[in-house]
Amino acid sequence: MKAFVLKKNNIRLEDVSIPELKPGQVLIKTKAVSLNPVDFKIIKGAFNLPKPRTIGIDVAGEIVEKASFVTNLKAGDRVCALVNIFETGSFAEYVAVDSSAVSLIPNNVSYTDASTIPCAGITAWQAVIQKINIHPQQKIFISAGGGGVGGYAIQFAKKKGAYVITSASKDFERISKLGADEIINYKKQDVLEEVLKRTENRGVDFMIDSISKENIAQHREMLRFNGMIVGITGLPEKYLYPPFSKAAGMVEVALVAAYTNGDNSILTEIAAVGSEIAHGIAEGKYETNIGCTIDFKDIPEGLDKLSGGRISGKLVAIL
């Protein structure tokens, strides 16, 4: 089969063997993969993973084989999954995945749409639905509203009745249609100043940051008393506020860590969220925020554009 293999600091399309299944795994024939920041970060050395290796974290496709101890899935099932990047990758024609991590998708959800669910969709779900207790009319700031996680997070927050402020540098009309109430052009405006101005200096109840721990620290004063910060790409090492000031909380979303804590039930919970999002897409509740699609062979160029900030929305490669 063909797969993109990381050697040194670049990836190449090579012929490799189809994975042999371990007990509890299924083999997925890949139909689409979405590209994520974690993919190019791994190329640059994130997690210090051994090489050579296939990369990629999202996969959507059809199950063609199952190993022993798999009872919840069968050949022919349409699925998507978060791949265990510590063992393998999804940028391949066939991918072996732990059956616990696999989400079934409805027939009227395309593989292209389904490929956006595992990393971006489930991360956003954990941030908005599981990590915070947001109520109608509370204000939330979501960074990078034009991205994959941001696009899903905006929609989930609006479903909870929140007032959503986000940041972006283009595609404002598309982001507004996702549900953003206000968009700050971070290339032309100071995000912190704008959030405070638009909230009459009260700040927001919640901040979801998918940029960096440094960005969280820079924007910490936008948070209201008793607010909550959700960090998707890490949290500052030290608590950001003096005692008896903000009384704020900080929590982390680290989806890939689901594969490193030794608790398989976590994978089952993640898969259930993926299926719930897929059914929401099927019912027209959620948009997948796909900015463009490319051919599988063009993944290296796609990752280069994604790392350079030249992609808005989700980028999906189709096989």
Side-chain angles (χ1 to χ4, degrees), residues 173-188:
E173 183 177 351
R174 176 173 59 82
I175 297 169
S176 292
K177 288 180 180 178
L178 294 176
D181 294 287
E182 298 194 50
I183 304 171
I184 299 168
N185 185 339
Y186 67 86
K187 287 189 174 181
K188 296 182 178 181

Side-chain angles (χ1 to χ4, degrees), residues 249-306:
M250 297 194 301
V251 294
E252 178 188 27
V253 172
L255 193 58
V256 296
Y259 277 108
T260 63
N261 63 54
D263 184 352
N264 236 36
S265 66
I266 298 297
L267 297 178
T268 302
E269 293 172 13
I270 286 173
V273 170
S275 291
E276 185 165 347
I277 295 171
H279 280 86
I281 294 169
E283 295 164 6
K285 295 179 181 178
Y286 308 126
E287 296 288 336
T288 52
N289 197 31
I290 294 174
C292 68
T293 59
I294 58 174
D295 190 86
F296 180 71
K297 64 179 175 57
D298 296 323
I299 282 178
E301 291 81 3
L303 287 174
D304 183 62
K305 291 180 179 179
L306 187 64

Side-chain angles (χ1 to χ4, degrees), residues 6 41-51 53 85-86:
L6 172 62
K41 290 178 182 177
I42 287 174
I43 294 175
K44 294 178 180 178
F47 305 112
N48 196 29
L49 300 177
K51 305 169 187 176
R53 66 183 306 106
I85 59 172
F86 302 102

Side-chain angles (χ1 to χ4, degrees), residues 13 52 76 117 119 146 148 167 197 207 219 298 309:
L13 191 61
I117 295 172
C119 185
S167 59
K197 182 171 71 175
M207 179 192 352
H219 294 141
D298 296 323

Side-chain angles (χ1 to χ4, degrees), residues 79-185:
V79 297
C80 65
L82 184 81
V83 173
N84 184 356
I85 59 172
F86 302 102
E87 291 187 0
T88 187
S90 63
F91 295 168
E93 292 180 313
Y94 293 88
V95 184
V97 182
D98 189 313
S99 62
S100 300
V102 173
S103 303
L104 288 165
I105 58 175
N107 290 331
N108 62 335
V109 174
S110 70
Y111 291 118
T112 303
D113 283 337
S115 72
T116 72
I117 295 172
C119 185
I122 298 174
T123 292
W125 185 277
Q126 288 190 340
V128 177
I129 306 299
Q130 296 178 328
K131 294 288 186 176
I132 62 177
N133 184 26
I134 194 165
H135 297 294
Q137 297 309 308
Q138 283 188 306
K139 290 181 170 60
I140 183 170
F141 174 76
I142 298 171
S143 70
V149 173
Y152 270 118
I154 289 169
Q155 296 177 81
F156 298 155
K158 288 306 294 183
K159 289 292 182 183
K160 299 286 284 185
Y163 187 90
V164 178
I165 304 172
T166 191
S167 59
S169 63
K170 56 186 175 182
D171 292 341
F172 303 121
E173 183 177 351
R174 176 173 59 82
I175 297 169
S176 292
K177 288 180 180 178
L178 294 176
D181 294 287
E182 298 194 50
I183 304 171
I184 299 168
N185 185 339

